[in-house]
Amino acid sequence: PISWASGEPGSASCIGYREWQTLFRLNGFTHLGVPSPRPTEPVRVYRGCTPEHRLGMSWSTEVAVARRFATEGMSSRPPGVVYVAHVHPDHLLAFVDEGHDEHEWVVDPLGLSDVNVRRLDVSGPQVE
């Protein structure tokens, strides 16, 4: 099984996005570490980050988790905002938890763009 590193690929991790994409694709889709069928419908996920990192690999199905990352930031960068994405099943690489209760989806950045990733509107109704 793949050992998903804590931190963003390319920064805290010693390997980058392409290497992680390759490893996850070779491993096949997993749910909590177990080979599983890939979802059949797009999944809505959230990410708390700075704008330049909005197309990253780590996303959560819980908006509260994304808000925590946006508010607290990560040790290597300032606080950010929350983004929401609808990700096609072909770009879902794994669902992991690693004991952190983050409801984390690993997403192939090739499936992310300004078409399906938008900033969560903090002034309007909250999408949960």
Side-chain angles (χ1 to χ4, degrees):
I2 293 175
S3 177
W4 179 236
S6 61
E8 282 297 309
S11 61
S13 176
C14 62
I15 65 174
Y17 288 118
R18 276 192 224 155
E19 291 85 0
W20 278 117
Q21 289 165 297
T22 300
L23 290 171
F24 276 105
R25 293 281 181 198
L26 287 171
N27 194 57
F29 182 80
T30 60
H31 183 272
L32 299 175
V34 177
S36 302
R38 190 176 301 281
T40 58
E41 298 291 325
V43 174
R44 181 182 359 197
V45 290
Y46 303 92
R47 179 173 170 81
C49 62
T50 55
E52 63 273 15
H53 291 99
R54 72 187 181 284
L55 305 181
M57 295 181 77
S58 296
W59 291 76
S60 177
T61 52
E62 301 296 319
V63 72
V65 171
R67 283 191 181 121
R68 186 177 81 233
F69 276 95
T71 303
E72 297 172 7
M74 293 182 70
S75 59
S76 62
R77 69 178 74 122
V81 296
V82 175
Y83 291 87
V84 60
H86 289 84
V87 181
H88 189 276
D90 290 343
H91 298 290
L92 298 169
L93 300 175
F95 179 80
V96 299
D97 195 347
E98 297 185 357
H100 301 293
D101 202 28
E102 293 177 352
H103 308 275
E104 182 181 0
W105 283 90
V106 180
V107 175
D108 187 336
L110 294 175
L112 300 170
S113 71
D114 289 333
V115 173
N116 67 333
V117 176
R118 65 175 175 80
R119 184 174 171 171
L120 191 64
D121 185 4
V122 294
S123 63
Q126 296 301 309
V127 180
E128 297 288 336

